[in-house]
Amino acid sequence: MKDSIERWLGTLFGLIFVALSLLVAVETVVRKAFNFSLQGADELGGYALAICATIAFSLALIGRTHIRVDVFHDRLPPALQTGLNWLSAVCLAAFAVLLASLAWFVVADSRSYQSVSQTPWATPLVYPQTAWLIGLVVFALVSVGVAGRATVLLLRGRITELNRDFGPRSTKEEVDEELEDLKNRSTDGALPPTAGAATGARA
């Protein structure tokens, strides 16, 4: 389930920016060759950035890549580490729900006032803002699911699993992930010589 959500969100993220890059390329060629501008690349770029930011929130949460200040985390007693890891998941879920709620009111106001962008296209803001809202709702749902799982693990006393899945990522985890990514991207399925040497040295 987690991998499927991450794959779909990552694909959507990439497609949006591929489409934006094609639009910018067309805009550049048309402006240079025909002295004509579509006058919308900047506007669509802003919408793409806002929407993809919400997708990135969910991807970062699923991949545990949100920044955690962990200078003292590993030096704290295990029980306190567990409490902080659970609290971080719950607080992030509460923040995500707050963002989605506030975004709902923004979209409602734009619909009520029939707001449009201050650009030549005069785009009704309710359309890009609705896509932005959907991204924030997805982030809220993912955050609530993550917080719910952390709470279940805490109540069941599965402390080791909770700390492993919700604690700050260790340097070893990041290195292992990079090596795995290199292995997956290699054409023959084999690690590059330097990566293989690093794996042997770590073992």
Side-chain angles (χ1 to χ4, degrees), residues 101-161:
S101 302
L102 295 176
W104 169 263
F105 290 113
V106 171
V107 174
D109 286 344
S110 295
R111 184 183 296 110
S112 299
Y113 295 112
Q114 298 183 345
S115 303
V116 298
S117 63
Q118 297 179 355
T119 64
W121 284 11
T123 305
L125 290 178
V126 67
Y127 298 125
Q129 286 178 352
T130 298
W132 171 65
L133 171 62
I134 292 173
L136 288 176
V137 169
V138 171
F139 176 49
L141 292 175
V142 172
S143 300
V144 170
V146 167
R149 182 169 180 271
T151 301
V152 170
L153 292 177
L154 180 66
L155 294 177
R156 292 181 177 178
R158 294 158 64 177
I159 304 304
T160 302
E161 187 175 352

Side-chain angles (χ1 to χ4, degrees), residues 28-159:
T28 303
V29 172
V30 169
R31 181 179 296 179
K32 183 68 174 179
F34 304 102
N35 196 27
F36 173 76
S37 175
L38 301 176
Q39 298 182 342
D42 291 343
E43 180 179 355
L44 292 178
Y47 299 150
L49 181 61
I51 294 168
C52 286
T54 64
I55 298 174
F57 295 161
S58 298
L59 288 173
L61 178 58
I62 294 172
R64 294 173 57 211
T65 54
H66 277 124
I67 295 175
R68 292 276 301 270
V69 181
D70 57 353
V71 176
F72 302 107
H73 185 275
D74 293 339
R75 296 178 174 83
L76 297 174
L80 188 53
Q81 289 184 25
T82 301
L84 290 175
N85 291 335
W86 173 82
L87 184 62
S88 67
V90 172
C91 287
L92 186 58
F95 180 64
V97 171
L98 176 62
L99 283 180
S101 302
L102 295 176
W104 169 263
F105 290 113
V106 171
V107 174
D109 286 344
S110 295
R111 184 183 296 110
S112 299
Y113 295 112
Q114 298 183 345
S115 303
V116 298
S117 63
Q118 297 179 355
T119 64
W121 284 11
T123 305
L125 290 178
V126 67
Y127 298 125
Q129 286 178 352
T130 298
W132 171 65
L133 171 62
I134 292 173
L136 288 176
V137 169
V138 171
F139 176 49
L141 292 175
V142 172
S143 300
V144 170
V146 167
R149 182 169 180 271
T151 301
V152 170
L153 292 177
L154 180 66
L155 294 177
R156 292 181 177 178
R158 294 158 64 177
I159 304 304

